[in-house]
Amino acid sequence: MRDTALIFRRQLSMSLRSPLWMVVGLVQPVVYLVFFGPLLAGLNLGANSWQVYIPGLLVQLALFGAAFVGFSVIADVRSGVIERMRVTPVSRVALLLGRVLRDVVLLVAQTVVLLVVAVGFGLRAPLGGVLLSLVLIALLTTSLAALSYTFGMATKSEESLAPLLNTVTVPLLLLSGILLPMSLAPGWLDVLSRFTPLRYVVDAIRDAFLGHYATTTTLTGLLVAVGLAAVAIAWGSRVFRRDNA
């Protein structure tokens, strides 16, 4: 716990010294909000279109904000930061958990900003649904960031990590129902999307924004998010222990 807090403070202070990337990370979701969101007004989505669309943007923010953080650990390996930490008594798992915790804090902060902007466009959601969405985004960020760091530590090469991440994130983006519910898709595409864990998180946030908490969809999304985070942390911890032994 102490070592994780130490790594977290170091990583957070580095991010706060250069906050521009946080603003850049918000640009793409806000662009989608401004230019694509109004097109939904003419569609019969069965609810306030913003309650359907904003959950997808939140997951998109987590996906692109956390999936590519692994490049930073490659930079630390190349610059010798990881090598210097190996000779200290700091926990090898804390090297992962401290970074992931930093990413969770920053992504949740960005999520809050995006929600505030969305309210100005007409989003209306109950407080309980907003809080549940923040929990789901935090869990999703945990799993995506942990996996990204794990891939980064395993490959130790930007040339290998970049195509790997693109291969994973593009199908996740297209099949998770971020832009529109997959219930609008053809049957075969809807079935294929059910093998994508992000779909369950998006659907759970949409239910939460409608005030539906005790539903199968919400519970499934929460269980998928918790399970994915647990698997990612367990795998990442193993890789960080092995590579930093």
Side-chain angles (χ1 to χ4, degrees), residues 66-78 82 86 96 99 144-162 164-165 235-236 239-240 242-244:
F68 293 89
V69 295
F71 290 101
S72 65
V73 80
I74 294 177
D76 283 350
V77 170
R78 183 172 291 112
I82 299 296
R86 285 175 179 169
L96 170 67
R99 287 174 164 82
L144 292 173
L147 289 173
S148 184
Y149 287 126
T150 301
F151 290 148
M153 184 62 72
T155 60
K156 297 182 178 63
S157 167
E158 292 89 349
E159 290 78 9
S160 300
L161 183 60
L164 175 62
L165 292 179
W235 184 29
V239 171
F240 268 70
R242 183 193 65 206
D243 286 7
N244 291 284

Side-chain angles (χ1 to χ4, degrees), residues 1-193:
M1 294 284 293
R2 184 187 65 232
D3 292 347
T4 298
L6 178 66
I7 299 298
F8 166 72
R9 289 195 299 269
R10 177 183 181 273
Q11 295 296 319
L12 183 61
S13 64
M14 291 172 60
S15 296
L16 293 179
R17 285 198 296 266
S18 180
L20 180 61
W21 77 270
M22 293 182 60
V23 177
V24 173
L26 273 171
V27 168
Q28 187 179 36
V30 170
V31 168
Y32 274 91
L33 177 65
V34 173
F35 294 109
F36 187 82
L39 298 177
L40 302 178
L43 297 180
N44 182 17
L45 299 178
N48 182 320
S49 60
W50 297 111
Q51 292 174 317
V52 175
Y53 185 54
I54 298 302
L57 283 186
L58 299 183
V59 173
Q60 180 188 4
L61 179 64
L63 176 62
F64 288 101
F68 293 89
V69 295
F71 290 101
S72 65
V73 80
I74 294 177
D76 283 350
V77 170
R78 183 172 291 112
S79 64
V81 172
I82 299 296
E83 184 67 28
R84 290 193 294 272
M85 287 185 174
R86 285 175 179 169
V87 300
T88 70
V90 68
S91 166
R92 294 341 185 209
V93 177
L95 296 177
L96 170 67
L97 296 182
R99 287 174 164 82
V100 170
L101 184 58
R102 184 274 312 269
D103 298 325
V104 169
V105 169
L106 294 181
L107 259 297
V108 169
Q110 288 178 296
T111 299
V112 171
V113 173
L114 183 58
L115 286 172
V116 171
V117 175
V119 168
F121 279 83
L123 172 67
R124 299 295 180 265
L127 179 60
V130 171
L131 295 178
L132 180 56
S133 72
L134 293 179
V135 172
L136 288 168
I137 291 300
L139 290 169
L140 182 61
T141 301
T142 297
S143 57
L144 292 173
L147 289 173
S148 184
Y149 287 126
T150 301
F151 290 148
M153 184 62 72
T155 60
K156 297 182 178 63
S157 167
E158 292 89 349
E159 290 78 9
S160 300
L161 183 60
L164 175 62
L165 292 179
N166 285 326
T167 301
V168 173
T169 56
V170 171
L172 287 177
L173 175 66
L174 298 177
L175 293 175
S176 60
I178 283 178
L179 298 180
L180 290 172
M182 293 306 297
S183 58
L184 301 177
W188 66 270
L189 192 58
D190 182 40
V191 171
L192 186 61
S193 73

